[in-house]
Amino acid sequence: EPLRRAGKLGGILFQLPQYVVFKEASLDYLEWARDQLGGDEMLVEFRHRSWLDEEHRAESLAFLERIGAAYVTVDAPKSDTARNLVPTVVAATAPTAYVRFHGRNLATWNKRGGSAAERFDYLYSDEELAEWAEPLRELAGGSEQAFAFFNNNASSPDPENPLGRVSQAATNARQLRRLLDVNGIRATGGAFAARLSGVKERCIATSSTAAIP
């Protein structure tokens, strides 16, 4: 409520647990939850692949669009067997487009007893982030605002200082900002964020959060 009163609550992120699968009861819950939010923006991240498989993908996205909820695009490890890894489907179902970069560390994703820091322990390469230049351009051009967030769970060895470490989120945000500039995608932002800007175009790359600033 304090964020709402201060005008700083841009949206509320619903990260559905992996046991929430595509079925009628799940759709009913999401529609009920949307009603509870009133005028607050709802963003939905699926964590079971049934939502985005070939059979249900179109229906899932159409449902979110119908109830006025924003779909969260996810970059994560690729797996043909892990049910808690969804395919990367670039789409927007509301005025806000939202991309979450979870890393591509398949070895630790379902590690027994592993922590969130281990699961999301990943530093993207320039080549991997470059894959997102055109998808982000597309999302920003087709939405009122577009955001890209990196997890801030871990750090990596500093490539320029063998005795130091760097924040993965901040490092990847700077990388993405530079790649946006190179690809002619208008952006503003500081050391820890990249923002696409223009008429109805905006993207932020920063550490993970549940509320859009």
Side-chain angles (χ1 to χ4, degrees):
E1 188 59 37
L3 289 174
R4 187 179 294 108
R5 289 199 304 267
K8 296 182 178 180
L9 181 61
I12 299 174
L13 176 61
F14 281 69
Q15 299 174 329
L16 299 185
Q18 65 188 53
Y19 56 77
V20 178
V21 302
F22 182 96
K23 60 181 180 180
E24 196 65 32
S26 300
L27 299 176
D28 290 343
Y29 165 74
L30 285 173
E31 192 157 13
W32 172 85
R34 180 71 195 90
D35 290 340
Q36 307 312 301
L37 294 182
D40 295 329
E41 184 164 18
M42 180 183 192
L43 304 104
V44 179
E45 178 182 346
F46 299 124
R47 292 197 167 183
H48 189 277
R49 66 187 309 115
S50 62
W51 291 93
L52 296 172
D53 61 20
E54 292 186 4
E55 180 180 358
H56 301 119
R57 181 181 305 166
E59 188 175 352
S60 295
L61 296 176
F63 170 78
L64 291 182
E65 185 171 7
R66 180 177 67 78
I67 67 172
Y71 161 73
V72 176
T73 300
V74 169
D75 183 278
K78 304 296 186 290
S79 171
D80 293 328
T81 57
R83 303 300 293 172
N84 63 342
L85 279 169
V86 299
T88 297
V89 177
V90 179
T93 59
T96 295
Y98 195 108
V99 181
R100 298 199 73 205
F101 289 86
H102 287 313
R104 301 179 179 181
N105 196 340
L106 182 60
T108 61
W109 192 266
N110 286 320
K111 179 181 176 181
R112 185 179 298 275
S115 65
E118 290 177 287
R119 169 177 286 192
F120 300 125
D121 183 10
Y122 196 80
L123 187 68
Y124 284 89
S125 67
D126 280 348
E127 292 74 19
E128 290 169 329
L129 291 177
E131 299 170 9
W132 279 93
E134 291 309 311
L136 286 173
R137 188 198 306 273
E138 177 185 339
L139 287 173
S143 59
E144 294 182 3
Q145 53 185 2
F147 299 89
F149 286 81
F150 294 94
N151 289 307
N152 58 2
N153 302 82
S155 62
S156 290
D158 187 343
E160 300 179 1
N161 177 8
L163 299 179
R165 298 186 68 83
V166 296
S167 162
Q168 293 175 350
T171 300
N172 282 149
R174 286 193 294 268
Q175 287 175 273
L176 181 57
R177 167 64 199 280
R178 177 170 49 80
L179 289 165
L180 296 176
D181 290 344
V182 168
N183 284 276
I185 302 173
R186 296 181 60 191
T188 61
F192 295 97
R195 178 190 297 264
L196 279 129
S197 61
V199 181
K200 298 181 68 177
E201 293 189 13
R202 185 170 62 162
C203 176
I204 293 176
T206 184
S207 56
S208 178
T209 182
I212 298 174

